[in-house]
Amino acid sequence: MDWLSKDKEFIWHPFTQQKAAAEPIFIEKGEGSWLFDSSGKRYLDAISSWWVNLHGHGHPYIAKKIYEQALKLEHIIFAGFTHQPAIDLAVRLIPKLPGKFSKVFYSDNGSTSTEVALKMALQFWWNQDYKKRRKILAFKDAYHGDTFGAMSVSDRSVFTLAFHDLLFDVIFVETPTPENIEDLKGLIEQEGENIAAFIYEPLVQGAGGMKMYAANLLDEMLAAAKEKEIVCIADEVMTGFGRTGKLFASEHLHENPDIICLSKGLTGGVMALGVTACTEKIYQAYYNDDKRKTFFHGHSFTANPLACTAALASLDLLEDGALTAVEQLCHWNAVYLEKLKDAKNGSRAILRNLRQLGTILAFEINTGEDGYLNTIGQEITKIAMSEEIYLRPLGNTVYIMPPYCITAEEFTQLSEAIERIIQKI
Ligand SMILES: *Cc1c(COP(=O)(O)O)cnc(C)c1O
């Protein structure tokens, strides 16, 4: 059977202009850091399969736990019912979260986790004597997902172009710099009483191009926002579970969020699950005899037992050595960053903005216009694959974000291949 022609005939792939698209690669199997295609070639998964995978592919421990749970209870409606994996996960997750959280609200992906957070914050105000704070504060270059609310608080870009007239109004500001921080605090001071919530990707804006910004300046903004009782929403869908070197990026900060959004690495990247956790203050605004103050939100697969089980297994692995692997990976990254910086001073003027936070390392290629539509990325993917590496640059932004199981030898292979790729372009 010619499976690729069947794919072309029946499937519409995400973020893909089907007309110009290269044939998708048929992956048959994944093991550890490696993906194996149907022609027997292998690729090192240097972007953790869209930033989700933590412990490697086909992890036998996670697989076994899911199998055992599937035989016991695969799914159950989560209104009026509960189950062990959902309870265990909430009990184990809450003490690990950055701040004093009180409740976990489950959904099934990253976009729903931010969608839930936005609705939770807006209704938090609506529920209190109908004080209708309605504005949201967000960053330029932000990405919070692809559903309508999540799109509204994401940067206006080619991703959202067809919907701009339908997205709700948001106050977009630049990420903080020493130059603009006073203006940002001034704006919060001035507009604060109309702002319901401030949503941010702490320290790294992922889809916006792995843009990094300073913790102390975000802290200043958060302190100003808290002064005005603005609900602070940390979107840690990408940064959660070790990516930035700490379990959560918010741990690099002094100010804690009121709401935190988690997905991607939550299940080790194995099952679809979203978590939106909130503080007692948020929860109490809903806890009421007035039925209209209920949070009327849920999904068919809310708190799916198999997904919760995968998340519990991933937590086991994080507690049992994976966080040490994170530390090691951060160190390798830091050493490699210095090496790239040295090369840059020599013949490699082609690289710009070399940067790293924890397990994430990124730089821009000096060619054409910056941005997602720069086609150098596709070229790099092609060259990388001939080097047994899977990279998926965001336009001209090249980054690596490997799974934590990557070995020293594999990391060397990855970093040497990147140097060859840079030479080839
Ligand atoms: C990926 C991502 C999302 C959306 O998650 P999906 O599961 O793809 O819907 C939201 N926020 C951030 C920061 C992300 O990186």
Side-chain angles (χ1 to χ4, degrees):
M1 180 77 87
D2 180 3
W3 293 113
L4 286 180
S5 71
K6 292 293 171 217
D7 177 285
K8 197 176 164 105
E9 194 176 348
F10 296 114
I11 297 178
W12 189 349
H13 287 268
F15 295 110
T16 302
Q17 174 45 266
Q18 297 277 135
K19 186 170 181 193
E23 270 193 347
I25 291 135
F26 191 123
I27 295 298
E28 252 172 13
K29 170 185 152 85
E31 196 180 331
S33 312
W34 294 93
L35 301 166
F36 298 86
D37 76 9
S38 49
S39 69
K41 289 204 206 94
R42 63 173 199 165
Y43 311 97
L44 199 148
D45 186 1
I47 64 153
S48 295
S49 289
W50 250 347
W51 323 341
V52 302
N53 192 291
L54 303 188
H55 312 291
H57 294 278
H59 200 290
Y61 178 72
I62 302 177
K64 176 170 163 280
K65 291 287 186 181
I66 293 173
Y67 175 72
E68 288 168 0
Q69 182 60 42
L71 293 176
K72 222 178 188 173
L73 175 69
E74 80 304 329
H75 191 61
I76 176 75
I77 169 176
F78 205 58
F81 289 89
T82 193
H83 53 79
Q84 199 70 50
I87 296 169
D88 286 348
L89 182 57
V91 166
R92 281 177 69 183
L93 206 49
I94 281 182
K96 291 184 193 299
L97 296 178
K100 208 166 171 297
F101 286 87
S102 122
K103 294 287 186 290
V104 155
F105 190 95
Y106 288 110
S107 61
D108 49 22
N109 64 70
S111 300
T112 55
S113 78
T114 57
E115 201 77 44
V116 164
L118 293 167
K119 287 177 69 176
M120 205 180 253
L122 286 164
Q123 194 181 337
F124 164 79
W125 288 107
W126 190 89
N127 277 4
Q128 296 176 75
D129 303 323
Y130 304 91
K131 273 193 268 180
K132 287 183 183 139
R133 284 204 195 191
R134 273 298 183 253
K135 287 188 182 164
I136 308 280
L137 180 67
F139 283 131
K140 286 188 183 142
D141 291 320
Y143 178 75
H144 298 292
D146 289 335
T147 51
F148 260 85
M151 255 203 304
S152 292
V153 295
S154 298
D155 197 14
R156 301 292 177 266
S157 71
V158 66
F159 287 64
T160 53
L161 198 56
F163 312 102
H164 285 179
D165 54 329
L166 299 174
L167 302 179
F168 59 74
D169 263 343
V170 170
I171 306 173
F172 284 107
V173 294
E174 302 280 347
T175 48
T177 62
E179 290 73 37
N180 71 10
I181 184 68
E182 290 310 319
D183 288 350
L184 290 173
K185 287 196 295 190
L187 178 109
I188 291 169
E189 170 74 24
Q190 214 176 353
E191 286 282 328
E193 259 119 71
N194 299 316
I195 299 174
F198 168 36
I199 184 164
Y200 55 98
E201 293 159 271
L203 307 190
V204 194
Q205 297 184 291
M210 296 298 155
K211 296 201 163 100
M212 299 180 187
Y213 62 101
N216 63 321
L217 298 176
L218 178 57
D219 254 335
E220 286 191 40
M221 279 184 80
L222 290 171
K226 296 214 151 177
E227 194 72 26
K228 290 285 174 191
E229 290 186 80
I230 296 169
V231 176
C232 295
I233 303 171
D235 178 354
E236 296 232 22
V237 168
M238 182 202 72
T239 52
F241 301 97
R243 288 290 174 205
T244 69
K246 296 191 187 273
L247 193 57
F248 298 101
S250 294
E251 290 174 28
H252 296 277
L253 302 161
H254 296 292
E255 300 290 342
N256 289 316
D258 305 298
I259 296 180
I260 189 167
C261 307
L262 306 170
S263 187
K264 291 198 166 112
L266 170 61
T267 61
V270 176
M271 298 281 298
L273 184 66
V275 154
T276 309
C278 71
T279 60
E280 186 63 19
K281 184 179 168 186
I282 306 279
Y283 182 72
Q284 279 304 324
Y286 288 82
Y287 197 77
N288 208 283
D289 293 323
D290 184 346
K291 288 276 194 299
R292 291 170 309 163
K293 294 186 177 178
T294 306
F295 192 46
F296 287 109
H297 190 107
H299 299 276
S300 311
F301 284 97
T302 289
N304 173 257
L306 302 180
C308 291
T309 298
L312 286 164
S314 177
L315 284 182
D316 289 346
L317 296 173
L318 283 167
E319 284 165 4
D320 188 28
L323 285 175
T324 316
V326 166
E327 251 172 69
Q328 203 162 44
L329 177 53
C330 293
H331 174 67
W332 296 338
N333 252 349
V335 171
Y336 184 47
L337 181 77
E338 287 315 308
K339 194 167 169 227
L340 281 174
K341 278 184 175 165
D342 285 346
K344 185 187 162 202
N345 292 336
S347 58
R348 300 265 64 87
I350 188 174
L351 307 188
R352 184 158 40 89
N353 289 339
L354 283 154
R355 57 197 182 273
Q356 179 224 351
L357 184 66
T359 73
I360 310 166
L361 182 147
F363 52 84
E364 268 76 50
I365 301 281
N366 262 333
T367 170
E369 270 183 44
D370 282 4
Y372 192 79
L373 294 184
N374 190 315
T375 52
I376 188 78
Q378 286 152 28
E379 212 175 302
I380 291 172
T381 298
K382 218 188 283 170
I383 302 170
M385 302 217 40
S386 71
E387 297 269 0
E388 292 195 336
I389 306 288
Y390 182 61
L391 291 176
R392 188 186 164 91
L394 297 150
N396 63 328
T397 303
V398 178
Y399 67 92
I400 59 169
M401 194 192 291
Y404 308 156
C405 63
I406 190 170
T407 63
E409 201 181 324
E410 287 164 354
F411 189 86
T412 306
Q413 187 177 345
L414 169 61
S415 52
E416 287 175 2
I418 286 178
E419 278 156 62
R420 282 194 300 275
I421 294 161
I422 294 165
Q423 263 149 36
K424 281 186 192 168
I425 54 176

